[in-house]
Amino acid sequence: MGPRKPLDLFAFSVMVALCLCWGFQQIAVKLIAADVTPVMQMALRSGMASLVLGAVTFRNEGRGAFADGTLPAGLLVGLLFGLEFLFIAQGLVLTSASHMVVFLYSAPIFSALGLHLRFREERLKVLQWIGVLVAFGGIAVSFLGAGEQVSGDMLIGDAMGLLAGLAWGLTTVAIRGSRLSDAPAVKTLFYQVAFAGVMLLGIAFLRGETAINLTPTVALNLGFQTIVITLISYVIWFWLLRKYLASRLSILSFLTPLFGVVFSVAILHEPLEPAFVAGALLVLAGISLVSGAELLRDRFGRAAA
């Protein structure tokens, strides 16, 4: 496969649509948390998606589907994906959806840093480094400025959101730096959801969190999480990773927390603390600075060529 391309209008438009879906997923989990625990929701949607993806993989590649050298990397990204979902599920019990979506989508910063260390074409420029520092400054403001209005449990939940972001960022680096980089998107996602499904289902059983109150609303919600988010959106995401520069795609996902916060306030009526708002704005400013610097460099670089 040839070199990854910088973002074009098509990739930008697709990423905006993906960010809308991803911005809503934490709200979707919260909406039915009283009927199905977040850990069980993650286990169910991963498990159901893995059945579909596994069938497609075997149909396309036959019995030798996992004899192509991708299995070790697949197990690694599956573990990282499972950890990400575990941190999200547990974090949502302790913190708000708006907090979770902002801290989770620190992932582009972690992936950009990891890719910078691994690949020459993914190196960050000086202005982008400033953006990274601004984003981490925003995280510090959110935690240090929380004060007494935020409980200890919420801070722990926020920290789990940050750990989930780290796990997601490392997943992107692991895919980019392994044979999964050129593997079909369906197979890459199968590795992730299959491992995560087994892992999270085991944790749900151990913790006695397997009860399900299956109402029509719950069924519709789980269907959305499984089909739209876990299957369609992630397959498209991994397809984009095969075509475009991974750090640029990850950075563009800074739109997701914006959508997530709006959905959280509008649908869940969650309050926004001043320190969190200030920190979130810094995080978004840092990420957009990294993204904007690269997009401007690509545009004016081509114009001058």
Side-chain angles (χ1 to χ4, degrees), residues 36-78:
V36 187
T37 64
V39 168
M40 193 61 180
Q41 288 183 53
M42 301 290 183
L44 287 172
R45 79 187 208 185
S46 296
M48 289 187 289
S50 69
L51 295 177
V52 176
L53 295 168
V56 173
T57 299
F58 278 110
R59 185 197 66 185
N60 292 341
E61 302 184 36
R63 295 182 179 180
F66 306 109
D68 58 355
T70 60
L71 183 58
L75 294 176
L76 173 60
V77 299

Side-chain angles (χ1 to χ4, degrees), residues 44-182:
L44 287 172
R45 79 187 208 185
S46 296
M48 289 187 289
S50 69
L51 295 177
V52 176
L53 295 168
V56 173
T57 299
F58 278 110
R59 185 197 66 185
N60 292 341
E61 302 184 36
R63 295 182 179 180
F66 306 109
D68 58 355
T70 60
L71 183 58
L75 294 176
L76 173 60
V77 299
L79 174 61
L80 290 170
F81 201 67
L83 288 173
E84 176 195 338
F85 274 15
L86 178 61
F87 287 132
I88 292 172
Q90 188 57 43
L92 282 172
V93 175
L94 302 172
T95 192
S96 64
S98 57
H99 280 220
M100 176 58 66
V101 74
V102 168
F103 289 116
L104 171 61
Y105 284 90
S106 62
I109 294 297
F110 292 119
S111 62
L113 289 172
L115 292 164
H116 170 87
L117 295 174
R118 289 289 306 272
F119 306 101
R120 185 173 183 177
E121 67 269 27
E122 303 274 13
R123 297 276 173 86
L124 298 175
K125 308 303 179 184
V126 174
L127 192 58
Q128 292 171 306
W129 277 113
I130 295 174
V132 170
L133 293 176
V134 170
F136 278 113
I139 292 171
V141 168
S142 296
F143 278 94
L144 299 178
E148 296 181 357
Q149 71 269 27
V150 175
S151 68
D153 283 348
M154 177 169 277
L155 289 176
I156 294 173
D158 290 349
M160 289 186 175
L162 197 59
L163 289 173
L166 174 61
W168 185 11
L170 292 177
T171 300
T172 300
V173 177
I175 292 171
R176 179 69 172 84
S178 70
R179 293 192 179 186
L180 289 175
S181 179
D182 293 325

Side-chain angles (χ1 to χ4, degrees), residues 246-304:
S247 62
R248 313 312 177 238
L249 291 169
S250 296
I251 294 298
L252 189 59
S253 65
F254 80 93
L255 290 171
T256 300
L258 286 175
F259 295 140
V261 170
V262 171
F263 290 146
S264 299
V265 174
I267 298 173
L268 300 178
H269 309 293
E270 294 181 348
L272 297 176
E273 307 84 13
F276 169 73
V277 172
L281 289 174
L282 284 173
V283 171
L284 296 177
I287 296 175
S288 60
L289 181 61
V290 177
S291 177
E294 184 61 28
L295 292 175
L296 287 173
R297 186 184 70 84
D298 286 342
R299 173 172 293 183
F300 291 111
R302 285 194 298 269

